[in-house]
Amino acid sequence: QLQLAQSVFEPGAFVTSHTHPTASLVGVQSGALGFALQHGSATVTRFTQTAIPTANDPLLSGDTVVRQQLLPGTEITLQPRDCVSFDH
């Protein structure tokens, strides 16, 4: 089952530790999102860019995709265009 949801958080808001029954993908559109993995593993995908993308050109020449594995207890801050995927 695939579900799509958009969440908007006010600055300083937080979500308590919780789990998801299925695989999840979190992407940041604007602002920043602190993320801490409690168990399992996750993959963080970050896009570094040379300019601001447009709706018609989301990946620019010169963009770099960086992937890193995230282990439990690791805290990161996701920036716009960053994604984290996990299945636990």
Side-chain angles (χ1 to χ4, degrees), residues 7-88:
S7 299
V8 177
F9 299 99
E10 295 296 323
F14 66 93
V15 176
T16 59
S17 178
H18 63 280
T19 62
H20 295 266
T22 62
S24 296
L25 174 69
V26 175
V28 176
Q29 292 180 320
S30 64
L33 176 67
F35 181 86
L37 187 66
Q38 303 300 313
H39 55 83
S41 64
T43 302
V44 178
T45 304
R46 296 183 186 271
F47 293 89
T48 60
Q49 61 191 37
T50 55
I52 304 297
T54 65
N56 295 330
D57 185 17
L59 288 179
L60 301 168
S61 62
D63 280 356
T64 303
V65 178
V66 177
R67 288 190 175 82
Q68 100 187 67
Q69 286 301 116
L70 191 63
L71 298 176
T74 306
E75 295 183 12
I76 61 167
T77 300
L78 300 171
Q79 301 294 332
R81 299 180 76 199
D82 289 350
C83 298
V84 62
S85 59
F86 51 95
D87 186 5
H88 50 212

